[in-house]
Amino acid sequence: WGTESRGGPRGGPAVCPSSQLCDPEQTSHHELTSLFECPVCFDYALPPILQCQAGHLVCNQCRQKLSCCPTCRGALTPSIRNLAMEKVASAVLFPCKYATTGCSLTLHHTEKPEHEDICEYRPYSCPCPGASCKWQGSLEAVMSHLMHAHKSITTLQGEDIVFLATDINLPGAVDWVMMQSCFGHHFMLVLEKQEKYEGHQQFFAIVLLIGTRKQAENFAYRLELNGNRRRLTWEATPRSIHDGVAAAIVNSDCLVFDTAIAHLFADNGNLGINVTISTCCP
């Protein structure tokens, strides 16, 4: 029982296999969105849409780097708006740029940039604090990257550990990082010291999950400073490494304390933070 790829034995119309049923509406929509493809980066040219003198489109990002049209080599100046294509773009839903890695959303062009900034299917950046490491890759490759490129990071096993930050009196902006493995997942513990406000140094402690936002919702963490008959506790849901540390610090959505508080709990310049990871009941 074969399927004729060029029609039936008597020249009848071609038949799509049942696993690849033809959808005329879907095909038509794809053909329509393909008209907006930039010939350089293959992303979509979205409003405001500019064309060369011959009518060829190129996206705004690529246009800024070009001196001539990539299709006809004609001049890109003066700038010519294609108002007709802009009207069509407003009536079309465009696929997310991360469709090839699993995102199935289609969006109005005004919603597309904001969604892609937070899309779960976008590449993961290195979760280590600071901007020195520019690595990007899949979620599955994050731990391998950390083990090979950041070998100094210590990993402790178990849901209840002590995160020991040494030499907390070091001047300037400093960060301490440790990994914690439990419940079949890896968590990154981060302590940062920085001047959020001029002349006022603060410590920011947070737990990140090496995983998605949805996975992070299954866990809770508790950070506790304990000593000298004092206790300071913070409890929250871990953030996905997709969200990173910076946004949490800006919003103070983490354990925050100043240097005076740190010295109350420190021992010879070393600060121990009790870290407990737990699972949330569905």
Side-chain angles (χ1 to χ4, degrees):
W1 296 91
T3 301
E4 296 279 351
S5 62
R6 296 185 181 178
R10 298 188 182 183
V15 179
C16 291
S18 59
S19 60
Q20 301 175 3
L21 292 176
C22 295
D23 185 343
E25 185 176 341
Q26 186 175 5
T27 302
S28 175
H29 182 265
H30 175 73
E31 290 174 349
L32 187 57
T33 55
S34 69
L35 297 176
F36 293 87
E37 283 184 4
C38 171
V40 179
C41 67
F42 301 107
D43 202 353
Y44 297 105
L46 301 176
I49 297 175
L50 302 176
Q51 65 175 53
C52 75
Q53 295 181 13
H56 301 122
L57 307 183
V58 63
C59 77
N60 290 316
Q61 288 76 13
C62 292
R63 184 185 177 90
Q64 297 170 16
K65 307 170 189 175
L66 300 171
S67 57
C68 64
C69 174
T71 303
C72 69
R73 303 303 173 187
L76 287 173
T77 54
S79 294
I80 304 172
R81 289 276 294 273
N82 191 320
L83 299 178
M85 287 297 281
E86 289 185 11
K87 286 185 177 180
V88 175
S90 295
V92 173
L93 295 179
F94 293 89
C96 170
K97 71 191 301 183
Y98 303 115
T100 54
T101 53
C103 185
S104 59
L105 287 182
T106 56
L107 308 114
H108 189 270
H109 72 82
T110 57
E111 301 170 334
K112 196 169 180 290
E114 183 178 352
H115 162 76
E116 290 170 350
D117 283 344
I118 61 171
C119 179
E120 288 282 4
Y121 295 94
R122 74 189 191 279
Y124 283 76
S125 298
C126 175
C128 288
S132 58
C133 184
K134 303 299 184 182
W135 178 89
Q136 285 192 328
S138 67
L139 175 59
E140 293 73 23
V142 171
M143 282 305 299
S144 176
H145 164 74
L146 293 175
M147 288 188 291
H148 289 89
H150 303 279
K151 296 180 180 179
S152 62
I153 298 178
T154 302
T155 300
L156 296 182
Q157 305 289 331
E159 61 249 42
D160 197 350
I161 66 160
V162 176
F163 177 14
L164 184 62
T166 58
D167 300 321
I168 64 168
N169 296 320
L170 287 171
V174 188
D175 56 66
W176 296 262
V177 181
M178 179 178 282
M179 299 298 298
Q180 181 175 356
S181 294
C182 56
F183 301 113
H185 285 80
H186 301 285
F187 299 83
M188 175 172 277
L189 322 177
V190 177
L191 175 67
E192 285 202 27
K193 181 173 74 167
Q194 59 175 257
E195 284 191 11
K196 189 175 179 183
Y197 307 105
E198 187 175 354
H200 183 57
Q201 281 199 325
Q202 290 181 296
F203 289 86
F204 303 88
I206 192 169
V207 173
L208 307 174
L209 172 70
I210 310 295
T212 65
R213 293 187 190 94
K214 189 172 183 179
Q215 290 173 325
E217 292 172 359
N218 296 320
F219 299 97
Y221 73 91
R222 183 175 75 247
L223 302 178
E224 185 175 281
L225 299 178
N226 201 346
N228 299 320
R229 301 180 70 178
R230 298 177 178 87
R231 178 178 298 171
L232 181 63
T233 302
W234 168 267
E235 295 184 6
T237 300
R239 296 173 74 90
S240 163
I241 55 170
H242 244 172
D243 299 319
V245 176
I249 290 177
V250 168
N251 298 316
S252 295
D253 187 16
C254 52
L255 175 62
V256 184
F257 52 96
D258 59 21
T259 52
I261 296 292
H263 289 144
L264 289 176
F265 294 98
D267 182 15
N268 294 321
N270 301 322
L271 182 66
I273 304 176
N274 296 312
V275 185
T276 302
I277 306 291
S278 58
T279 55
C280 298
C281 297

